[in-house]
Amino acid sequence: MLKNKTALVTGSTSGIGLGIAKALARQGANIVLNGFGDVEGPKAELAALGVQVDYHGADMSKPAEIEDMMTFAARRFGRVDILVNNAGIQHVARVEDFPVERWDAVIAINLSSAFHTSRLALPAMRAANWGRIINVASVHGLVGSAEKSAYVAAKHGIVGLTKVTALETAPTGVTCNAICPGWVLTPLVQQQVDAKAQALGLSNEEATRQLLAEKEPSMQFTTPDELGELAVFFCSPAANNVRGVAWNMDGGWAAQ
Ligand code: NAD
């Protein structure tokens, strides 16, 4: 379905971003990977799916590096057809204790980077009259949780950016939508399980159970593969007129 299309997925060396990149690659899309840590492993996994893969290590908190990545992707593949804004970090502290530097980093990586990639990707998408922007928000783009002020503010912000981008592109073949996962067991969430286990003296298993029980009625993690399939749906012809939605896949979290 996505043969001859190119998808750039930010923060795709791990977790949800890698899951989405794999799902798009299974549909034939060439992939531009981004993110830190091991690059060769994810690159090889994607290449094994028979698509072309390249990597740019832009730091999503740095607009000049984002610009360089977008230029690199356009030069390498002609155009970015599918942009998945996924890179994200978390920091947990009360508002009055929240380190200012961490606030700035969360807003830059989880929100402003999507503005920069989108503004740079949109002209070519408009010219081709086809494009997909998928913003990985969170259930925290819909509801709040204590001690996550920067994250919740950034995720509500990206849901707003999604709506405005969708409105501005509504008469065109470009769509913009957001995915709002509940708990997904990636390194980002394992850190929160570890913090809970340490603070309360719990085993990993019990801390995981308590984390789910607090928020997620299904008592079940959403998987990167499931989120990848939702991204594939947003790229499909059936989703041509799905515009500006914030679609939660959260085990019932936001339904409460
Ligand atoms: P993860 O930690 O597994 O992956 C994060 C990715 O972002 C990695 O590839 C990392 O290298 C990259 N990254 C981090 N900082 C970066 C920077 N400055 N520049 C470029 N890349 C950077 O986390 P994840 O759980 O897969 O999270 C991915 C997205 O999904 C995030 O936006 C997160 O907020 C969102 N999300 C996660 C969950 C969850 O339960 N895990 C739930 C809802 C939303």
Side-chain angles (χ1 to χ4, degrees), residues 11 13-14 16 36 59-60 86 109 137 151 155 181-182 184 186-187 189:
T13 50
S14 163
I16 294 169
F36 304 145
D59 181 335
M60 288 299 113
N86 167 80
I109 295 163
Y151 189 86
K155 295 301 186 181
V184 185
T186 65
V189 163

Side-chain angles (χ1 to χ4, degrees), residues 60-63 66 85 87 103-119 154 157-158 161:
M60 288 299 113
S61 67
K62 305 212 163 97
I66 294 172
N85 289 308
W103 171 276
D104 288 344
V106 172
I107 299 296
I109 295 163
N110 295 20
L111 175 58
S112 301
S113 72
F115 159 67
H116 292 297
T117 53
S118 298
R119 73 181 172 80
I158 204 166
L161 176 65

Side-chain angles (χ1 to χ4, degrees), residues 130-186:
W130 197 91
R132 295 289 185 264
I133 299 180
I134 300 170
N135 292 324
V136 179
S138 165
V139 69
H140 283 118
L142 307 170
V143 298
S145 287
E147 303 192 347
K148 294 188 176 174
S149 54
Y151 189 86
V152 170
K155 295 301 186 181
H156 275 66
I158 204 166
V159 168
L161 176 65
T162 301
K163 291 176 183 171
V164 173
T165 307
L167 290 174
E168 290 180 3
T169 53
T172 76
V174 180
T175 72
C176 179
N177 293 290
I179 294 178
C180 297
W183 291 126
V184 185
L185 193 54
T186 65

Side-chain angles (χ1 to χ4, degrees), residues 66-138:
I66 294 172
E67 207 153 332
D68 193 59
M69 176 182 74
M70 298 306 288
T71 306
F72 165 84
R75 203 181 303 130
R76 174 70 173 83
F77 289 109
R79 176 173 70 236
V80 172
D81 304 286
I82 300 162
L83 168 66
V84 182
N85 289 308
N86 167 80
I89 58 167
Q90 176 63 283
H91 189 85
V92 179
R94 284 187 182 182
V95 171
E96 63 267 38
D97 302 325
F98 215 92
V100 171
E101 165 276 320
R102 287 287 84 199
W103 171 276
D104 288 344
V106 172
I107 299 296
I109 295 163
N110 295 20
L111 175 58
S112 301
S113 72
F115 159 67
H116 292 297
T117 53
S118 298
R119 73 181 172 80
L120 295 164
L122 276 166
M125 289 182 177
R126 282 186 190 279
N129 198 34
W130 197 91
R132 295 289 185 264
I133 299 180
I134 300 170
N135 292 324
V136 179
S138 165

